[in-house]
Amino acid sequence: MITEKITAAEIAQHYRAAMDSVNLINEIVASGDTDEESVDALKRNRDHLKIMVDKDFWTTEDLQPFKDAIG
């Protein structure tokens, strides 16, 4: 795997974006919405988190919320 060279600020931005996905997933699950739009949003955001978990630039960030939201 090729190591990505990014700044601490970029890592923080990636983390915030991934946490946005976590929060959206948690909101949809808590609401019980099963309409097509919600199901699609769940899939897109879980796919995003799967990609983010596999990144090799993380340092001390807690990735457990990502893993929990992926299921």
Side-chain angles (χ1 to χ4, degrees):
M1 177 182 268
I2 298 173
T3 302
E4 293 185 48
K5 304 287 184 190
I6 64 173
T7 67
E10 290 170 321
I11 292 171
Q13 185 170 349
H14 282 297
Y15 191 82
R16 283 190 303 275
M19 284 304 298
D20 287 344
S21 287
V22 168
N23 292 331
L24 180 60
I25 289 167
N26 290 339
E27 287 174 19
I28 293 171
V29 169
S31 74
D33 289 343
T34 58
D35 58 86
E36 186 177 336
E37 184 178 338
S38 295
V39 170
D40 186 49
L42 283 172
K43 181 182 180 336
R44 282 192 325 272
N45 283 277
R46 284 182 173 141
D47 289 347
H48 172 237
L49 291 175
K50 287 175 187 175
I51 291 167
M52 296 313 292
V53 165
D54 288 339
K55 295 293 185 181
D56 62 359
F57 52 67
W58 300 116
T59 56
T60 61
E61 296 79 17
D62 181 9
L63 303 184
Q64 193 60 49
F66 303 179
K67 295 172 185 175
D68 291 345
I70 291 168

